[in-house]
Amino acid sequence: MTRITMTVDGAQVSDDVEPRMLLVQYLREKLGKTGTVIGCDTSNCGACTVHLDGRSVKSCNVLAVQADGAEVTTIEGLATDGQLHPVQEAFRECHGLQCGFCTPGMIMQSIDLLNENPHPTEEEIRLGLEGNLCRCTGYHNIVKAVQYAAREGASS
Ligand code: FES
């Protein structure tokens, strides 16, 4: 077992974990943060996307021990004081979801995209989200949600 300490959604956590434990397993199984979901477990679908020191990563592709000392933000850490993050609000406003399974990862990736490029073109949005798969919507409303968020000045 290896001792790890990190900040997750603003709270410091510390645990002994197996070195082979994935970050997504740590978040879900040890911390109960089931808002971060597992779609493929092979770094293809993006459903498990979280922010690691401010950048999006697929948490099924990161070992928990690799996040030692880092700051992790999950979908559950976005809303503050009962207010949705502007990108969450944009997805709600544009109905950028259907079954909702891909939504946590889509939102985390969209925030990273908008932080890097606050005014992306449609093509840049589609490219920026290419690592996140949706099997319901055909992506149209997801793209509209990111465009809406960009118009509203959403980032960070
Ligand atoms: Fe991590 Fe699919 S569960 S990319």
Side-chain angles (χ1 to χ4, degrees):
M1 299 290 260
T2 302
R3 189 81 181 161
I4 58 171
T5 300
M6 66 184 82
T7 303
V8 179
D9 296 336
Q12 194 175 57
V13 294
S14 214
D15 276 295
D16 293 321
V17 299
E18 294 250 14
R20 66 181 176 175
M21 179 175 247
L22 299 172
L23 179 58
V24 69
Q25 292 172 318
Y26 179 65
L27 294 171
R28 289 175 57 84
E29 294 168 20
K30 283 272 195 181
L31 303 183
K33 292 200 173 271
T34 52
T36 301
V37 296
I38 301 172
C40 67
D41 210 8
T42 51
S43 100
N44 286 302
C45 76
C48 64
T49 303
V50 300
H51 292 175
L52 184 64
D53 288 334
R55 293 307 310 266
S56 63
V57 296
K58 292 176 176 176
S59 60
C60 75
N61 205 31
V62 177
L63 295 168
V65 293
Q66 290 177 297
D68 184 33
E71 185 163 337
V72 176
T73 305
T74 78
I75 189 73
E76 294 176 53
L78 293 184
T80 49
D81 298 330
Q83 294 292 311
L84 293 178
H85 184 282
V87 176
Q88 290 177 305
E89 185 61 36
F91 272 69
R92 190 194 66 77
E93 183 68 26
C94 298
H95 198 62
L97 65 146
Q98 198 161 315
C99 84
F101 195 83
C102 71
T103 310
M106 283 288 182
I107 288 175
M108 299 311 288
Q109 182 62 25
S110 297
I111 293 170
D112 189 56
L113 166 67
L114 290 169
N115 284 343
E116 284 295 295
N117 180 2
H119 302 290
T121 63
E122 179 178 342
E123 187 180 0
E124 287 169 337
I125 293 169
R126 290 183 182 276
L127 272 175
L129 296 179
E130 68 179 357
N132 291 69
L133 303 183
C134 170
R135 285 294 172 255
C136 303
T137 69
Y139 300 94
H140 297 303
N141 285 1
I142 292 169
V143 172
K144 281 184 194 164
V146 180
Q147 289 171 321
Y148 179 96
R151 278 198 305 277
E152 297 292 308
S155 60
S156 80

